[in-house]
Amino acid sequence: MLVGKKHFRTIWRDKDRPVLHIIDQRHLPHNFVIEELHSVADVATAIKDMHVRGAGVIGVTAAYGMYLAALALPEKDMDDDLFSAADLLKATRPTAVNLAWAVDRQLEALRKGKSREKKIEIALQTAEEIINEDLDCCRKIGSHGMAIIDEISRKKNGAPVNILTHCNAGWLGFADYGTATAPIYLAAENGAALHVWVDETRPRNQGASLTAWELGEQGISHTVIPDNTGGHLMQHGMVDMVIVGTDRTTRRGDVANKIGTYLKALAARDNNIPFYVALPSSSIDWNIGDGVGEIPIEERDAREVRYIIGLDESDQKVKEVLITPKDSKAANYGFDVTPARLVTGLITERGICEASEEGIFSLFPEKHDQK
Ligand code: MRU
C-alpha cells in the first residue's frame, strides 16, 4: 500500500544481496524505518520483538527466514541445521498459526532437496509461493468483504458506513492489503463513503499507532477510540459493522485475535451489529476445534502494560514512560478467543461462510480428512 506516494510491502528480498528488508513497525507512526535481516537469528528476533507482527507477515517472514537458514547451510548434516532453524522460528510467538504453518511447509518442501544448492532453491521458491498466496488471499478477501460494505451502504442510501476494527489486521499485518482492511480499501476505491473507528488496542497500541497510520496514508476517514468506547458507540447506532482479523481460527470457527476482541463481539451481539472476521485459510488450525481450551495464548512482558511509548512533542523524541505505580504488577495476555457463536461470518479467500465446522468445510472440503 502507499507510504507517502510510494508503494511498499511489509517485507521484500534484496535484488542483489542475500538480505531481507522489513518495515520495522516498532517505530511507527512517528518514524518510517526499514531494517535489514541477514540471518535466521535476525528473523527470529524481528518476530519475537515485534519489528514485524500480525499473523500473515510473521508467517511470510518466517518462510524467508528458512531461506536465509538454507543459505547458511554447511555441506553436510544439513537437516540438523534446518530443524534447529525451524525450532528457533517456531518458538518466537505461539498464537498465530501462520508462523508454524509456514515453517512446516518449508520443512516439508525442503525434504525433497538433496544438495545444498537444491535446498536453497526450494526454500526461496517456497517463500515466494507463500508471499504470493498471502497477497492473493488478501485481494480476494477484499473483494468478498467489499460486498458486505456495499450492501450496508445501499441500505444507508450512501451515507457513510461506520466500521469498527480492533488491533491491526491491516496491510502491516500481512505482505500487503491486510485482511480486515482489504474490504475497506477496496470499497473506498470503488467510491463507498465510509469511516473507521479504530480501537487503540492497549497495551501495544497497534490500532492507534499502526491501523490509524495506514488508514491515514490511504486517505481513509478514521477516528481512534479508547478500547472501551465501542460498546457506547454501538448502543447509539454509530457502528454499522465490526471487522477484525484473527491469529488462529479453529475448524469450528472459534477465533483468537488481539486481547479485547471478545468484548467487542459481545457488545456487537447485544446490539445486533454484524461482527465479521477476515482471514486467509493459512490462519485456520485444522487440528483443533475448541478455541478457548486449545489455542495457546501468548503472555508478553508486563513492561508493555506498565510503560507507554509515545512522541514527546517538546523535543520530537520517542520516549517510554511509566504509567503504573512503580511496584504494581501487571498481566499481559496477548490474545483472547471469540467463540464461533458470536461471529456473524468468516470472510476468506474462497468467500464468506458461517463460523462453524459445516460453514468452513463447505468452502474448504479438501481439508475434511484432517479432522
Ligand atoms: O500481537 P500482534 O500485533 O502480532 O497481533 C496480531 C494482530 O495484529 C491481530 O491480532 C490481528 O488482528 C490479526 S493478525 C493480522
Side-chain angles (χ1 to χ4, degrees):
M1 300 298 292
L2 294 179
V3 180
K5 296 234 174 321
K6 212 171 151 199
H7 178 260
F8 277 89
R9 286 180 178 164
T10 47
I11 178 166
W12 62 100
R13 193 167 62 90
D14 195 282
K15 282 196 196 70
D16 309 311
R17 294 177 300 141
V19 166
L20 300 175
H21 300 273
I22 57 162
I23 299 173
D24 185 343
Q25 302 186 23
R26 293 170 305 165
H27 301 281
L28 291 170
H30 306 299
N31 295 299
F32 185 72
V33 175
I34 291 168
E35 183 186 5
E36 289 191 356
L37 306 179
H38 298 262
S39 64
V40 67
D42 285 355
V43 170
T45 303
I47 296 173
K48 193 169 179 40
D49 295 344
M50 294 174 70
H51 311 193
V52 281
R53 33 62 49 209
V57 73
I58 63 180
V60 170
T61 309
Y64 277 113
M66 290 301 290
Y67 164 61
L68 294 182
L71 283 173
L73 284 177
E75 292 296 339
K76 285 208 180 108
D77 298 327
M78 291 178 287
D79 286 344
D80 288 352
D81 282 34
L82 285 173
F83 286 131
S84 318
D87 288 347
L88 177 72
L89 290 167
K90 286 207 241 177
T92 52
R93 296 195 71 193
T95 302
V97 75
N98 305 61
L99 176 58
W101 168 83
V103 172
D104 287 340
R105 183 162 156 180
Q106 278 282 25
L107 284 179
E108 181 62 28
L110 282 161
R111 277 167 30 158
K112 294 182 200 111
K114 298 298 173 215
S115 66
R116 184 176 171 275
E117 279 58 44
K118 197 65 195 161
K119 284 197 190 291
I120 294 170
E121 188 191 316
I122 291 173
L124 178 58
Q125 190 191 326
T126 308
E128 312 246 286
E129 273 168 26
I130 288 174
I131 193 171
N132 287 330
E133 285 169 22
D134 182 274
L135 294 165
D136 185 51
C137 285
C138 288
R139 278 194 220 102
K140 288 178 173 154
I141 287 167
S143 61
H144 296 306
M146 178 177 75
I148 305 170
I149 299 177
D150 284 348
E151 176 64 20
I152 296 174
S153 171
R154 264 194 300 280
K155 284 192 186 141
K156 292 186 78 177
N157 294 320
V161 178
N162 286 298
I163 301 166
L164 185 141
T165 193
H166 190 70
C167 196
N168 176 266
W171 75 269
L172 291 169
F174 291 83
D176 207 349
Y177 314 112
T179 50
T181 52
I184 294 172
Y185 291 138
L186 220 64
E189 214 175 285
N190 285 350
L194 45 85
H195 165 262
V196 184
W197 296 110
V198 179
D199 282 351
E200 62 176 348
T201 320
R202 284 283 294 143
R204 285 189 70 106
N205 293 315
Q206 287 95 329
S209 58
L210 303 177
T211 305
W213 178 79
E214 61 163 271
L215 290 173
E217 291 293 315
Q218 317 313 311
I220 306 281
S221 161
H222 65 278
T223 306
V224 177
I225 48 175
D227 287 329
N228 299 324
T229 310
H232 167 77
L233 297 177
M234 291 181 200
Q235 286 174 325
H236 290 271
M238 294 162 82
V239 178
D240 296 304
M241 71 185 294
V242 179
I243 317 183
V244 297
T246 171
D247 298 81
R248 188 184 299 225
T249 291
T250 71
R251 64 169 189 273
R252 287 189 211 148
D254 293 343
V255 167
N257 194 51
K258 184 53 59 193
I259 192 82
T261 303
Y262 171 47
L263 293 178
K264 293 298 168 293
L266 285 171
R269 172 57 53 95
D270 194 43
N271 289 282
N272 222 1
I273 289 163
F275 182 95
Y276 284 95
V277 180
L279 65 149
S281 53
S282 52
S283 296
I284 301 175
D285 187 338
W286 301 98
N287 299 314
I288 61 174
D290 169 23
V292 174
E294 296 181 89
I295 296 179
I297 299 294
E298 178 177 16
E299 285 183 55
R300 295 188 62 85
D301 197 327
R303 190 177 172 88
E304 293 178 351
V305 178
R306 300 181 61 243
Y307 289 79
I308 198 159
I309 297 174
L311 184 75
D312 182 342
E313 290 185 303
S314 68
D315 60 6
Q316 293 301 308
K317 289 208 166 99
V318 172
K319 291 180 183 159
E320 191 178 54
V321 294
L322 180 65
I323 58 168
T324 62
K326 243 183 10 272
D327 299 323
S328 289
K329 286 199 283 188
N332 190 5
Y333 296 93
F335 300 90
D336 61 22
V337 173
T338 299
R341 66 189 148 77
L342 298 176
V343 177
T344 308
L346 302 174
I347 309 172
T348 77
E349 72 270 22
R350 293 207 189 155
I352 301 167
C353 68
E354 192 183 82
S356 66
E357 202 152 337
E358 296 68 35
I360 293 175
F361 285 118
S362 72
L363 290 184
F364 299 94
E366 75 280 11
K367 298 285 182 187
H368 222 267
D369 300 347
Q370 298 177 21
K371 270 206 279 179

